[in-house]
Amino acid sequence: MSGNDTFTGIVMYRKNYREADVLAKVLTREAGKRMFFLKNGKRPSYALASETLPYTYAVYEGRLNPTGLSFLNTAKQATHFRLLNEDIEVNAYATYILSLLDAAFEDRVIITGWFDQLLAAFAKLNDHFDPQVISQIIALKLLPDFGVPLQLHGCVMCGEMTDTMDFSDKYHGLLCSRHFDTDRHRLNMTPKGLYYLRLFSFIDITQVNSIKLREETKAELQRVIDLIYDNTVGVHVRARGFIEQMDTWQQALIASRKPKMISDEPK
């Protein structure tokens, strides 16, 4: 594309550049991830200030250069997913999702399907869907793009699907009870955890209407996802560390609000 291009995009992030300028990374539906130069983007009078905020979806006009920086001229039909900016927890998970997507694909690679999945994910986050669940769906569905497809249709050894199964991080898939001894460090997942691991790996997020998981199930899934990303993918995005810190803060806050027990028993 060259000259005056029209395209749809989702703003991933902005960063300051020089004294008054800004660089904005945008995932475009038509041309993949692109870095845009926003001249005077830091100034209050910048015409596209609202349309280039992170997590904004809009129809843009500008120049998509084959190399180097691209440029924006106008924007219209902007959708602002306000909850993603206003709620610190939702913001953290949205950043985590974008960081994984950024790591999975090179710039300028057209990923139309993932553009649609990301747009649906942001809409659901903005509609108060559980942000951890949405992020887990995205993280699992991204694994094949990182070169780590999971074998979840049956046992990796024999292909059978039995009543008693477990997940093996070693083999990146399921093991039936007859082959448990092939991985002494299998994860001992619960049947419910395995059910959602398989469901989230295959589900189309645009078709998700309602999902509610218990905290222990989400924790189990997160343990598996983190193991895969740490041991096999080798990606640890900064947003994940912030989410882990945030969970620690929340637990400390809950503990501080519990009533103190007073006892007259001798110490």
Side-chain angles (χ1 to χ4, degrees), residues 22-238:
V22 169
L23 295 178
K25 193 160 197 177
V26 180
L27 174 61
T28 71
R29 194 173 196 277
E30 295 81 0
K33 296 179 296 171
R34 298 295 183 101
M35 189 69 78
F36 289 84
F37 176 72
L38 311 181
K39 185 173 179 58
N40 295 321
K42 289 175 64 177
R43 300 190 185 281
S45 58
Y46 179 61
L48 299 178
S50 175
E51 291 83 356
T52 55
L53 289 173
Y55 319 119
T56 299
Y57 165 69
V59 177
Y60 298 97
E61 283 191 3
R63 190 165 77 247
L64 291 167
N65 290 326
T67 60
L69 299 174
S70 296
F71 300 88
L72 293 178
N73 296 327
T74 62
K76 57 184 179 181
Q77 301 174 23
T79 298
H80 300 287
F81 299 106
R82 298 190 181 279
L83 193 64
L84 278 63
N85 280 304
E86 296 172 355
D87 187 298
I88 187 172
E89 181 182 18
V90 178
N91 178 275
Y93 279 106
T95 302
Y96 172 72
I97 289 169
L98 284 177
S99 298
L100 289 182
L101 199 67
D102 202 14
F105 301 99
E106 297 289 338
D107 290 355
R108 297 182 173 82
V109 174
I110 299 174
I111 48 173
T112 304
W114 269 112
F115 182 93
D116 296 338
Q117 292 287 304
L118 179 64
L119 186 60
F122 278 7
K124 293 185 186 304
L125 289 176
N126 201 56
D127 285 341
H128 301 274
F129 277 64
D130 189 316
Q132 185 176 15
V133 170
I134 297 299
S135 75
Q136 289 175 340
I137 294 173
I138 296 294
L140 286 168
K141 289 180 68 64
L142 271 172
L143 286 175
D145 296 295
F146 279 113
V148 188
L150 301 184
Q151 169 55 275
L152 300 175
H153 293 286
C155 176
V156 295
M157 297 298 174
C158 65
E160 295 294 324
M161 179 65 77
T162 64
D163 291 338
T164 305
M165 306 289 290
D166 198 3
F167 184 81
S168 167
D169 185 38
K170 176 181 177 180
Y171 295 111
H172 311 146
L174 300 179
L175 288 174
C176 69
S177 57
R178 290 178 298 178
H179 294 99
F180 280 175
D181 59 352
T182 62
D183 184 1
R184 292 182 299 169
H185 303 290
R186 58 188 175 82
L187 301 187
N188 293 302
M189 291 190 70
T190 65
K192 182 172 288 188
L194 276 174
Y195 170 80
Y196 282 107
L197 180 70
R198 298 181 72 239
L199 176 65
F200 288 0
S201 296
F202 303 133
I203 197 170
D204 184 338
I205 202 166
T206 63
Q207 298 176 352
V208 175
N209 294 318
S210 176
I211 292 183
K212 293 183 179 179
L213 271 66
R214 293 184 178 182
E215 290 299 321
E216 54 266 31
T217 303
K218 290 193 293 181
E220 182 179 14
L221 285 172
Q222 198 64 54
R223 176 175 68 97
V224 175
I225 292 168
D226 291 345
L227 274 173
I228 295 171
Y229 272 87
D230 288 343
N231 297 343
T232 307
V233 178
V235 169
H236 189 110
V237 298
R238 292 174 58 186

